[in-house]
């Protein structure tokens, strides 16, 4: 019985370690949209990969981005226009902060 408990414990430790390292892959993209209620969604596109984050209180955080150069699209609410940002560089384990993004009508 003791060997079974040790085996289960070892498997649990291995599983936790595997998920911990998985979260270290890639980076994230953040930003702030003004006016605060002017946008609904932020999209990050890299090749065939598309990531999405809701814009809440004017801020967004796209997580799980692979390393590379993304196109970021901010989906605006009426009467504002969508914003497209090209060549947004994501690096391993880093946060790419786009700063303030002003929406135009």
């Amino acid at each position: 019985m003791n060997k079974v408990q040790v085996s289960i414990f070892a498997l649990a430790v291995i599983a936790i370690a595997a998920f911990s390292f998985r979260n270290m892959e890639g980076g994230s993209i953040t930003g702030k949209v003004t006016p605060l209620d002017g946008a609904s969604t932020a999209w990050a596109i890299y090749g065939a990969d598309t990531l999405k984050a809701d814009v809440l209180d004017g801020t967004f955080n796209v997580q799980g981005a692979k390393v590379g150069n993304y196109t970021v699209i901010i989906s605006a609410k009426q009467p504002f226009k969508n914003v497209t940002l090209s060549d947004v560089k994501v690096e391993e384990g880093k946060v790419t902060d786009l700063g303030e993004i002003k929406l135009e009508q």
Side-chain angles (χ1 to χ4, degrees):
M1 215 40 162
N2 194 20
K3 287 184 181 181
V4 172
Q5 289 175 338
V6 170
S7 296
I8 291 172
F9 178 74
L11 286 173
V13 169
I14 291 170
I16 291 170
F19 283 114
S20 295
F21 285 115
R22 184 172 180 248
N23 290 337
M24 296 286 288
E25 294 177 8
S28 63
I29 303 169
T30 65
K32 183 173 183 174
V33 179
T34 56
L36 300 180
D37 62 347
S40 59
T41 310
W43 301 88
I45 303 166
Y46 174 63
D49 292 337
T50 301
L51 302 172
K52 171 186 159 184
D54 292 329
V55 178
L56 302 171
D57 295 324
T59 61
F60 64 90
N61 185 5
V62 179
Q63 297 185 8
K66 295 178 184 176
V67 172
N69 291 329
Y70 284 75
T71 298
V72 175
I73 300 171
I74 307 300
S75 295
K77 298 176 185 177
Q78 290 292 332
F80 300 101
K81 296 178 184 175
N82 293 347
V83 174
T84 301
L85 304 168
S86 301
D87 296 322
V88 175
K89 186 177 182 180
V90 172
E91 297 180 42
E92 185 71 35
K94 294 188 179 179
V95 176
T96 302
D97 188 351
L98 300 178
E100 185 177 339
I101 301 165
K102 294 183 181 182
L103 300 176
E104 296 181 8
Q105 292 188 15

